[in-house]
Amino acid sequence: MLHSHYTEELQIVKNAGNLRQLKHFKPTGATTVIYNRETYLMMSSNNYLGLTHHPEVIKAAQQAVEEYGTGSGGSRLMSGSHQLFLQLENQLADFKKTEKALVFNTGYMANLGILSALLTKDDFVFSDALNHASIIDGIRLSKAQLTIYKHKDMNDLERLLKQCQSNRTKLIVTDSVFSMDGDIAPLDELYALSRKYNALLMVDDAHATGVLGDGYGSAAHFNLHGKIDLQVGTLSKALASEGGFVATSSLLQEYLINKARSFIYSTALTPADIAAASTALRLVREDTSIIRRLQHNVSCLRTLLRDSDIQVETETPIFPIVTGDTNVAIHLADYLWDNKIIATPIRPPTVPENAARLRITVSAAHTEEDLQRLVKMLVSA
Ligand SMILES: *Cc1c(COP(=O)(O)O)cnc(C)c1O
């Protein structure tokens, strides 16, 4: 009886075709996994540079375990802030051309902690309609007065900023690369508006770090290196590890160390996580052939899809094949699955109603044959 409410709610999800279930794979490389003894080609990972299986990244993680042990044993402010953190945070600040950087346990926790620490119920936040769930949740937690502007619509944003006649803190927040569409926010215009209306600008580079601006991220892509107030990123996608971070001023870094609850009240990441991210970051800067391979694969898939008359709009390694109908997306994903290709269907509430899609992502580790095989299957579906 106590549980029947949840059974009913789950049934509603099931009836809508939106029930999600976990599948447990064994990865055998950056682009292949084994499931039930069969090998599948992974076309849905955010491992954009394929660095999860780079020998130097693996070695760095192994060495860190041997030298520092497996767990960090405490939160950053208690006992868990091992030396590797300082090295990585200096590296991140240098990479993003900011005074400081601060590592959180995940990108999700970074957004939650930053927004809830910087904003109170008397402050104002302007958020793109398609921002990531972690931004939405951070805003909710802050209780700040929320205004949602139309996706990438700078006229709408300016109109709303103009209306806000308050001396309290104003903050504009946006994904730089939108996670389900792969399009890019107009950071140059957002920056100009933030200065004109005296608002902080916070950009979530989860899908841009290691991808845009020769890997340096969206600020570099728009020639705004070091100018954005808060650049959030993740260590979990192109940087092949686990964790989130923010690159910002010394002042805001110190503020967040003291006020961001998701930073303060959670055990620090493991030495292996930090060492792996640190080495991946070094590789992004030193071995430019890796990002060039990603760029090559993106344009290769774009050409293959165009030549096959498959409509996909994208400027990044994220290729959304929008079917609208959830069942169509699921059938397409099932067909690919039967042909040993993994491409996850994305359905509401992750995307709006009637905007279901297959979200395909390209990695530097894919081969041209992988991409050809994918397109051949999409054509025959
Ligand atoms: C993945 C993602 C996050 C969360 O990062 P994690 O490190 O996976 O928690 C935050 N924002 C955006 C836009 C993302 O795509």
Side-chain angles (χ1 to χ4, degrees), residues 164-324:
C164 179
Q165 307 279 352
S166 166
N167 295 324
R168 298 289 311 205
T169 298
K170 291 175 225 170
L171 183 145
I172 302 168
V173 59
T174 185
D175 283 20
S176 55
V177 172
F178 288 88
S179 51
M180 295 301 137
D181 292 82
D183 55 340
I184 300 173
L187 208 54
D188 45 354
E189 295 172 64
L190 283 158
Y191 177 71
L193 285 178
S194 75
R195 299 309 93 160
K196 185 170 172 191
Y197 292 94
N198 203 24
L200 290 168
L201 180 58
M202 172 167 162
V203 174
D204 182 342
D205 255 2
H207 298 278
T209 298
V211 174
L212 282 192
D214 285 328
Y216 287 77
S218 61
H221 180 78
F222 284 97
N223 263 325
L224 290 169
H225 227 147
K227 292 195 171 161
I228 312 293
D229 300 298
L230 299 131
Q231 297 174 69
V232 174
T234 178
L235 308 176
S236 324
K237 288 168 183 163
L239 295 178
S241 181
E242 177 73 34
F245 68 89
V246 60
T248 186
S249 64
S250 303
L251 171 69
L252 291 185
Q253 191 236 27
E254 190 171 18
Y255 190 84
L256 292 171
I257 289 172
N258 286 278
K259 297 274 193 179
R261 292 169 63 85
S262 66
F263 174 83
I264 298 170
Y265 295 106
S266 187
T267 299
L269 286 168
T270 72
D273 292 321
I274 301 302
S278 179
T279 299
L281 187 58
R282 180 174 60 71
L283 286 168
V284 169
R285 298 186 76 162
E286 284 177 5
D287 186 353
T288 53
S289 73
I290 301 172
I291 184 132
R292 279 203 307 275
R293 244 184 352 262
L294 174 64
Q295 289 160 349
H296 171 81
N297 282 348
V298 169
S299 61
C300 176
L301 182 57
R302 210 185 278 135
T303 307
L304 286 168
L305 288 168
R306 199 178 42 227
D307 292 350
S308 308
D309 285 329
I310 297 174
Q311 287 293 330
V312 183
E313 301 264 340
T314 188
E315 305 165 79
T316 63
I318 300 170
F319 287 73
I321 301 185
V322 179
T323 59

Side-chain angles (χ1 to χ4, degrees), residues 340-358:
K340 307 292 177 285
I341 296 174
I342 300 177
T344 336
I346 312 282
R347 46 196 125 180
T350 307
V351 290
E353 291 294 334
N354 302 315
R357 67 199 58 190
L358 217 57

